[in-house]
Amino acid sequence: MQTHHGYYELHDISGYLVFEPDEIIFVQAEKNTVSSIIIGKLCTCSMYSNIRREILKADFSTLDNAVLLSAMQLSLAESILQ
């Protein structure tokens, strides 16, 4: 993905999820971590890397703000995680 702010790559994609109405979530999953790049129709881009899997199952009200958004967005793609 190339934007006005940089060029982003995510290798070894495990799967993807079309999140209606306008985003695609690409996921790369390892045994203990998950990385993703979320691309929007209007060229928005969010990239998360090396997120610990246990964070995705945590109580969101207990998470630090620094990982809250990544946990919420990646939990949407939990169905495609191996």
Side-chain angles (χ1 to χ4, degrees), residues 10-81:
L10 183 65
H11 297 265
D12 299 322
I13 300 293
S14 303
Y16 68 94
L17 174 69
V18 177
F19 189 68
E20 298 293 338
D22 62 356
E23 289 184 328
I24 299 178
I25 303 172
F26 294 95
V27 177
Q28 188 273 334
E30 298 287 334
K31 180 179 178 183
N32 297 316
T33 61
V34 178
S35 299
S36 78
I37 189 167
I38 303 168
I39 300 170
K41 184 177 182 178
L42 299 176
C43 294
T44 57
C45 180
S46 298
M47 186 170 198
Y48 305 107
S49 63
N50 299 322
I51 304 299
R52 293 186 322 269
R53 282 183 179 252
E54 66 262 13
I55 289 174
L56 305 182
K57 296 185 185 298
D59 177 359
F60 291 158
S61 67
T62 64
L63 293 177
D64 185 81
N65 289 341
V67 296
L68 180 60
L69 186 57
S70 62
M72 290 173 61
Q73 289 193 308
L74 287 173
S75 69
L76 298 171
E78 195 169 14
S79 63
I80 61 171
L81 296 176

